[in-house]
Amino acid sequence: MDISLFLKGFSLGLAVAAPVGAIGVLCIHRTLTYGRLMGLISGLGAATADGVYGCIAGFGLTIVSNFLVDRLFWFQAIGGLFLLYLGVTTFGAKPKPETITEAKSSFSRAYFSTFFLTLTNPLTILSFIGIFAGLGLVNNGGNYQEALILVLGVFTGSAAWWLFLSFGIDRLQKTFNLRDLRWLNRFSGIGIITYGILPLWSLMKAIAHS
């Protein structure tokens, strides 16, 4: 294995995952409400989507990347609406003492929700295409082994961030009572709703000026 190539992918995955956006708010909320395993699984959904876009950029799949870029409008609209839905449900959620134990049945839902959100985030699509192209990491020579090592590094770097975040935030979980969780739901809901409104607002402005 080319360790330098893996480390490049690792640092890219870490850099793309680390900025706290809607996914970060969602994972922090889920960790504090349901425990670190729920937060980690939510993060792994985002890491998987990062790996998918790493594949598209790293393997030089221009047909797929062009297809996605040409449909950024719909990705942005769907992602924004889904964030609004998650924000509203989070804001109105009523915490219960048994919340953490009940969470075990919704691991798959947590995983696929963040996977879907990251996949529909146009910034994720553009950042991977731009970074890989800018650093000359796009695979144009048919060396799929190197591309695979790079993508593995991207996934591992992204997953490492979510592992760090969920286990770090989990230390605060024991200090929260039901009243604190109620406020956490409200603040998290407002934050997620805001992240949902921003792309929809930019879409409406673009439509108005077209």
Side-chain angles (χ1 to χ4, degrees):
M1 176 185 288
D2 187 341
I3 191 65
S4 64
L5 202 57
F6 176 83
L7 290 176
K8 283 182 181 179
F10 184 92
S11 60
L12 287 175
L14 195 62
V16 171
V20 178
I23 304 297
V25 172
L26 197 58
C27 288
I28 290 171
H29 172 263
R30 287 175 175 173
T31 299
L32 291 173
T33 307
Y34 303 111
R36 63 188 179 189
L37 185 56
M38 177 64 83
L40 176 59
I41 289 174
S42 298
L44 289 178
T48 304
D50 287 342
V52 170
Y53 283 129
C55 282
I56 293 171
F59 282 91
L61 302 177
T62 53
I63 295 177
V64 178
S65 63
N66 289 340
F67 173 85
L68 295 172
V69 171
D70 290 342
R71 286 156 182 80
L72 283 182
F73 176 91
W74 296 108
F75 277 98
Q76 203 168 354
I78 294 169
L81 290 172
F82 190 48
L83 279 173
L84 288 181
Y85 165 76
L86 283 178
V88 170
T89 55
T90 300
F91 184 92
K94 296 180 180 179
K96 297 178 288 184
E98 62 275 17
T99 300
I100 292 179
T101 57
E102 287 183 349
K104 294 179 180 178
S105 62
S106 54
F107 283 154
S108 60
R109 185 169 56 187
Y111 174 88
F112 284 109
S113 63
T114 51
F115 174 77
F116 174 78
L117 277 175
T118 308
L119 211 60
T120 57
N121 184 357
L123 292 178
T124 309
I125 303 168
L126 294 174
S127 61
F128 271 108
I129 294 173
I131 292 171
F132 273 58
L135 295 178
L137 298 175
V138 177
N139 177 40
N140 295 317
N143 193 332
Y144 296 115
Q145 183 178 357
E146 287 189 357
L148 186 61
I149 293 171
L150 190 65
V151 170
L152 181 62
V154 168
F155 173 80
T156 306
S158 181
W161 167 254
W162 297 116
L163 178 67
F164 169 78
L165 184 69
S166 58
F167 276 66
I169 294 296
D170 182 62
R171 290 180 171 272
L172 300 174
Q173 193 272 332
K174 294 179 182 178
T175 66
F176 276 62
N177 55 39
L178 289 182
R179 186 168 176 270
D180 295 328
L181 288 175
R182 211 171 287 123
W183 281 106
L184 174 68
N185 287 347
R186 291 169 183 170
F187 282 121
S188 299
I190 291 171
I192 295 169
I193 288 170
T194 302
Y195 281 113
I197 290 174
L198 290 176
L200 295 176
W201 177 253
S202 64
L203 284 179
M204 288 190 293
K205 286 173 63 178
I207 293 172
H209 287 95
S210 61

